[in-house]
């Protein structure tokens, strides 16, 4: 059955848990430390998401001596698009997979902005639907591509730098564009001083800057020019 994503995403704690799990697969106690609710509440939310088919749990032995831990990972790969206006409510789930990059041609010039008859209105609505399908296919393709790239970025960052907190900051900035130090402090459950220290360390490897001593952004101009921050 299709998971009830509207129900799942309607709760902030569940959204926060999913956000952490997109950065890395986590065991229960680590997830509990990342959100400001009790471990009992976390267990309840995880159970709900596992029941809906959004999460999958598994046991994993630690690299060093210690008990086997129960880990969680996201078990779906989909994008959801929905529209809500006084005239329309619809939503559609798009299955993401391997991205086959290609160009898409969207043409809106053939749509009449002022159709005068009912037949013309219905005709143009159907034409608009066909163009929308192209948009959704393009959206599905780029999201599949971004998901694949994010997986490779995480693997490369952990292999080359090995700092999970820095990776979490990079992950958040890539997805959201920018964040305040306070937002990152709340999201990572760290003191603001610790967030600033991690950003300073991260800047040795990735062009990142703090604007007005508060807003953290990736230096996109420097990145797109191909200028890295790798140490000599």
């Amino acid at each position: 059955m299709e998971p009830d994503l509207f129900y799942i995403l309607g709760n902030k704690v569940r959204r926060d848990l999913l956000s952490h799990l997109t950065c890395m697969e986590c065991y229960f106690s680590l997830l509990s430390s990342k959100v400001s609710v009790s471990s009992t509440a976390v267990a309840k939310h995880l159970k709900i998401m596992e029941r809906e088919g959004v999460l999958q749990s598994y046991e994993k032995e630690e690299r060093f001596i210690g008990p086997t831990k129960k880990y969680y990972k996201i078990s779906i790969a989909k994008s959801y698009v929905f529209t809500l206006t006084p005239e329309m409510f619809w939503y559609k789930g798009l299955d993401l997979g391997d991205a086959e990059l290609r160009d898409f041609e969207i043409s809106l010039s053939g749509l009449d902005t002022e159709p005068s008859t009912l037949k013309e209105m219905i005709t143009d609505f159907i034409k608009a639907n066909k163009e929308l399908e192209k948009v959704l296919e393009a959206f599905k393709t780029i999201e599949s591509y971004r998901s694949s790239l994010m997986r490779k970025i995480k693997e490369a960052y952990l292999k080359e730098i090995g700092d999970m907190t820095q990776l979490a900051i990079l992950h958040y900035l890539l997805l959201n564009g920018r964040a305040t130090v306070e937002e990152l402090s709340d999201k990572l459950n760290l003191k603001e001083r610790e967030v600033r220290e991690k950003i300073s360390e991260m800047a040795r490897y990735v062009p990142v800057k703090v604007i007005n001593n508060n807003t953290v952004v990736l230096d996109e101009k420097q990145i797109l020019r191909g200028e890295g921050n790798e140490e000599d």
Side-chain angles (χ1 to χ4, degrees), residues 104 106 108 130-140:
F104 292 84
I106 312 299
L108 304 183
K130 293 183 180 300
E131 296 304 317
L132 179 60
E133 286 300 320
K134 298 178 187 176
V135 172
L136 294 178
E137 188 63 27
F139 176 78
K140 173 182 173 180

Side-chain angles (χ1 to χ4, degrees), residues 7-108:
Y7 170 62
I8 295 295
L9 299 179
N11 181 277
K12 183 180 184 304
V13 174
R14 292 198 283 270
R15 293 196 302 271
D16 288 343
L17 291 171
L18 288 172
S19 181
H20 287 298
L21 285 168
T22 61
C23 186
M24 61 178 174
E25 296 178 9
C26 293
Y27 52 87
F28 177 79
S29 59
L30 179 58
L31 274 174
S32 295
S33 71
K34 298 295 184 181
V35 292
S36 57
V37 295
S38 68
S39 58
T40 301
V42 171
K44 177 183 176 181
H45 289 301
L46 291 173
K47 184 177 180 180
I48 289 172
M49 289 191 286
E50 193 168 9
R51 182 192 68 204
E52 288 290 327
V54 174
L55 296 185
Q56 178 182 347
S57 62
Y58 63 97
E59 292 188 347
K60 179 180 177 181
E61 293 185 1
E62 297 301 297
R63 295 174 59 184
F64 305 102
I65 297 176
T68 299
K69 292 183 178 179
K70 186 176 184 179
Y71 278 73
Y72 291 86
K73 65 179 180 180
I74 294 174
S75 57
I76 63 173
K78 297 178 75 76
S79 279
Y80 289 84
V81 180
F82 79 93
T83 295
L84 177 62
T85 77
E87 283 74 39
M88 295 193 304
F89 171 62
W90 70 273
Y91 63 94
K92 185 173 184 177
L94 306 172
D95 291 315
L96 303 184
D98 296 332
E100 181 182 344
L101 295 181
R102 58 190 177 91
D103 292 331
F104 292 84
E105 183 176 344
I106 312 299
S107 177
L108 304 183

